[in-house]
Amino acid sequence: MSHQCSFEFDATDLAARDGIGGVIGRLRASGLPATLVGDVELALVEAVNNVIEHAFGGKPGHRIAIHARLSEAMLDLRIIDDGRPLPGGRVPQAKSLDPGLPRADLPEGGFGWTLIHQLTDQVDYQRRDACNMLSLRFRLTGTPRTGREIAP
Amino acid sequence: MFLSSKQHGGARVVTVKAERIDAAVAIQFKENMRTETDGGPERVILDLSEVSFIDSSGLGAIVAAMKHLGADRRLDLAGLSPMVEKVFRLTRMDTVFTLFPSLDDAMTELGG
């Protein structure tokens, strides 16, 4: 089993829904378990949200591409855009919430990378030819991947 | 519209009439929550049983809605699908909110 597919869409919230929906539809049709497809969708939505909001600063007129490669052991997704690079040229770390925070100080954002790290097996980032390339890897066999909690 | 609400016992029950709370609707959700909860009773129950997908923007909007209620009121969540529940668990927000499997469970707690 080996499949590849590519999707490209405008870097807006609504176009991203459709574009990611296309990728997810293909993965579902290829017979991947529903739980895994749910995790992939969430990780992809978070990665693409980051591109729209940060790499492109919410400005319209840009495109995002997603390449998916599915083999028996692995699902590899690559998200490509020509927006601003990630700060420091690296993937941000997951953050751990302090549940003891007073209500008024609870964060209303910054959960995206935390989710991406926990839902994927590997995250890689490269800046090449003025483009961002974020790779999300999901292992399809072996040790269960999801639900990894961050150490408190 | 996006949200509907009714008074139920001593609580305001707000039901999300959408499958997704994501970046495309997070701001609208936050604004609608203010409209539905301003001036209401101390306890608000957010019924998420029609929601199958939430992302970090949606989660942030729910946190913002809870903060907007102020220190004397509480926001409980009910009817979370496994995928929605997972977002709360992975971000540890399940330790901040009280999550009920269904609206009935949340209502039962009200009397107890």
Side-chain angles (χ1 to χ4, degrees):
Chain A
M1 176 172 73
S2 179
H3 304 288
Q4 288 195 42
C5 64
S6 297
F7 288 81
E8 206 185 304
F9 47 89
D10 285 339
T12 65
D13 291 334
L14 284 174
R17 265 192 190 177
D18 289 343
I20 292 168
V23 179
I24 293 306
R26 289 286 288 272
L27 294 177
R28 206 172 274 139
S30 71
L32 288 182
T35 315
L36 173 69
V37 174
D39 291 352
V40 172
E41 179 178 15
L42 182 54
L44 212 41
V45 165
E46 295 301 341
V48 168
N49 280 354
N50 284 336
V51 172
I52 295 171
E53 192 181 335
H54 301 296
F56 293 131
K59 292 194 184 74
H62 299 282
R63 303 279 287 173
I64 297 173
I66 298 175
H67 302 294
R69 198 172 63 214
L70 180 63
S71 69
E72 220 153 283
M74 217 72 88
L75 168 66
D76 277 306
L77 297 172
R78 186 171 283 190
I79 299 127
I80 301 173
D81 66 81
D82 64 354
R84 287 195 295 266
L86 282 177
R90 63 181 59 170
V91 176
Q93 302 268 308
K95 286 184 222 158
S96 187
L97 175 76
D98 174 4
L101 281 176
R103 178 189 286 202
D105 296 337
L106 285 170
E108 294 172 30
F111 314 111
W113 286 107
T114 302
L115 290 170
I116 291 170
H117 282 291
Q118 292 184 93
L119 294 165
T120 57
D121 285 298
Q122 201 180 318
V123 185
D124 290 302
Y125 170 74
Q126 280 187 302
R127 179 84 180 171
R128 200 188 288 167
D129 301 330
C131 283
N132 297 311
M133 278 194 266
L134 184 74
S135 299
L136 307 180
R137 171 166 284 193
F138 301 82
R139 270 208 312 269
L140 306 182
T141 52
T143 324
R145 163 193 42 77
T146 55
R148 278 202 309 257
E149 306 292 338
I150 302 170
Chain B
M1 262 296 288
F2 190 46
L3 299 179
S4 77
S5 74
K6 59 177 191 263
Q7 205 72 10
H8 219 296
R12 166 76 45 91
V13 176
V14 181
T15 304
V16 182
K17 311 296 277 181
E19 272 183 42
R20 300 174 74 92
I21 312 178
D22 61 12
V25 298
I27 291 172
Q28 190 197 349
F29 173 84
K30 240 189 299 194
E31 286 169 359
N32 290 12
M33 272 299 277
R34 288 182 184 218
T35 313
E36 300 294 339
T37 60
D38 273 354
E42 184 191 310
R43 188 184 188 210
V44 177
I45 303 170
L46 185 63
D47 176 10
L48 293 166
S49 52
E50 292 181 33
V51 178
S52 58
F53 183 89
I54 182 173
D55 68 3
S56 64
S57 318
L59 176 68
I62 292 176
V63 174
M66 185 261 272
K67 287 161 75 168
H68 180 70
L69 288 178
D72 301 330
R73 300 174 70 194
R74 69 190 257 220
L75 178 64
D76 291 339
L77 310 179
L80 286 75
S81 74
M83 202 56 219
V84 172
E85 192 267 341
K86 182 179 254 179
V87 172
F88 281 83
R89 182 163 42 82
L90 293 180
T91 56
R92 304 185 76 195
M93 277 293 171
D94 61 340
T95 61
V96 169
F97 291 92
T98 306
L99 313 184
F100 294 94
S102 71
L103 185 56
D104 279 347
D105 291 311
M107 297 308 299
T108 309
E109 203 259 5
L110 183 65

